[in-house]
Amino acid sequence: MTEPTPEQIEKLAIAFERFTRRFKVAEASAVLEHSLNALDIQALLFIDDHPECRLGDVARHLQVALTTMSSSADRLVRRDMIERQRPEANRRSVALTITNKGQQAVSGYVDGYRASCKAMLEALDPVDQTEFLRLTQKIAKYDD
Amino acid sequence: MTEPTPEQIEKLAIAFERFTRRFKVAEASAVLEHSLNALDIQALLFIDDHPECRLGDVARHLQVALTTMSSSADRLVRRDMIERQRPEANRRSVALTITNKGQQAVSGYVDGYRASCKAMLEALDPVDQTEFLRLTQKIAKYDD
DNA sequence: ATTGAATAATACGAAATTCGTAGTATGTCT
DNA sequence: AGACATACTACGAATTTCGTATTATTCAAT
């Protein structure tokens, strides 16, 4: 559309750096709480959103080697957070599903993430909240 | 101020997840390019912003153990990206400063980050760009 | 001036993580 | 049935993180 000025870009970059730091803190506390590492939490989130997904799906999504994902799944299974199944349809693959305990960990993470989002919106008055959402939606859509 | 609705929060969370993924990709490519890991890049950014800072400052900022930061500094020194000096004022501490080569790596990272920000702004028309910036600034300020 | 405590970092080793190579099991195609 | 592709696991090397112990320096109190 139109070229934003370097000043505008710079301002946005600084603001987003702050937001990112905020989210990182939220992630870190969720990670600590369940003694999971960053990869395992991200894998858990994906598996929660994609029940019966395969190992390769998660690896591709998170851009890690398949073997890395296999290790991650080992850890998650050991901690009773996911289950590995061999589907009859294609017995080479594994279908990953989240357990109750895994869902609890996801909830903890998501709650933290949403709390951060809530705090952000609360900095604005209702009219600006709606406006801010409209704009983020527009950007997110454009992103596809 | 006013309570945002759960739907609003959810929408914002989803949008921000996308943004975060975008930034991660940018970081990953900067990391690959200079064969640095995520911690080392973040350390480099901090050192660039805080010349002559001490090891402990960086460790505190990045929330890692001091020994971890020491290892990171080893790597960055080995790759000629920072310099360790013993300041006369307090010879127990080290003063970290970035080198030209380090600055190049920072530039690469920052460029990628800004490119992401630029792409976001370009999704909006000029009026909305200004409006979006106003709102992010407001949130970032509130964040303190 | 000396001793003791506090500060700031490094040395070293254990545990965990990532990833590449090789291997196994299953499915598909001719 | 055989050859090739797919999906994953086993294993080991390299890297990273972090805790404990140690070194060097500064500060404070006597």
Side-chain angles (χ1 to χ4, degrees), chain B residues 38-113:
Chain B
L39 175 67
D40 294 356
I41 270 277
Q42 291 301 320
L44 215 47
L45 287 167
F46 185 86
I47 296 166
D48 186 43
D49 269 342
H50 302 83
E52 316 221 345
C53 63
R54 295 181 305 175
L55 211 56
D57 300 332
V58 194
R60 216 170 308 115
H61 175 75
L62 299 178
Q63 307 200 61
V64 295
L66 191 60
T67 51
T68 303
M69 203 49 241
S70 189
S71 303
S72 172
D74 286 346
R75 289 191 292 271
L76 290 171
V77 167
R78 201 181 327 128
R79 287 172 204 184
D80 278 323
M81 295 199 164
I82 63 169
E83 276 175 10
R84 259 194 187 102
Q85 273 141 4
R86 292 282 175 181
E88 278 309 311
N90 181 351
R91 297 175 31 73
R92 286 171 301 191
S93 63
V94 295
L96 303 174
T97 47
I98 201 160
T99 63
N100 282 343
K101 199 171 159 215
Q103 228 141 20
Q104 281 171 30
V106 166
S107 295
Y109 175 81
V110 170
D111 285 353
Y113 199 87

Side-chain angles (χ1 to χ4, degrees), chain B residues 24 37 84 87 143:
Chain B
K24 264 189 195 153
N37 65 31
R84 259 194 187 102
D143 221 25

Side-chain angles (χ1 to χ4, degrees), chain A residues 10 18 22 114 140 143, chain B residues 10 18 22 114 140 143-144:
Chain A
E10 180 64 19
R18 284 203 185 186
R22 212 173 219 271
R114 287 199 192 146
D143 222 24
Chain B
E10 179 64 20
R18 283 205 187 183
R22 212 173 220 269
R114 286 196 193 148
D143 221 25
D144 288 325

Side-chain angles (χ1 to χ4, degrees), chain A residues 1-5 8-25 27 42 49 61-63 113-115 117-126 128-144, chain B residues 1-5 8-25 27 42 49 61-63 113-115 117-126 128-144:
Chain A
M1 303 222 175
T2 324
E3 284 286 297
T5 68
Q8 287 182 313
I9 294 171
E10 180 64 19
K11 278 187 185 171
L12 188 62
I14 290 170
F16 262 83
E17 229 165 88
R18 284 203 185 186
F19 299 163
T20 304
R21 188 170 312 281
R22 212 173 219 271
F23 286 122
K24 263 189 196 154
V25 171
E27 185 182 45
Q42 292 301 321
D49 269 343
H61 176 73
L62 299 179
Q63 310 200 61
Y113 200 87
R114 287 199 192 146
C117 290
K118 183 158 175 277
M120 291 174 70
L121 284 174
E122 277 170 353
L124 306 174
D125 59 56
D128 281 351
Q129 284 178 8
T130 313
E131 182 69 357
F132 184 64
L133 264 176
R134 180 179 73 81
L135 298 172
T136 51
Q137 300 297 301
K138 207 166 164 187
I139 295 170
K141 231 171 248 165
Y142 179 76
D143 222 24
D144 289 325
Chain B
M1 303 220 175
T2 325
E3 285 285 295
T5 67
Q8 287 181 314
I9 295 172
E10 179 64 20
K11 276 187 187 170
L12 188 61
I14 290 170
F16 262 83
E17 230 165 88
R18 283 205 187 183
F19 298 163
T20 304
R21 188 170 313 280
R22 212 173 220 269
F23 286 122
K24 264 189 195 153
V25 170
E27 186 182 44
Q42 291 301 320
D49 269 342
H61 175 75
L62 299 178
Q63 307 200 61
Y113 199 87
R114 286 196 193 148
C117 289
K118 184 158 175 278
M120 291 175 70
L121 284 173
E122 278 171 352
L124 305 174
D125 59 56
D128 280 351
Q129 284 179 7
T130 313
E131 181 69 356
F132 184 65
L133 263 178
R134 181 179 73 80
L135 297 172
T136 51
Q137 298 298 299
K138 208 167 165 187
I139 294 170
K141 233 172 246 167
Y142 179 77
D143 221 25
D144 288 325

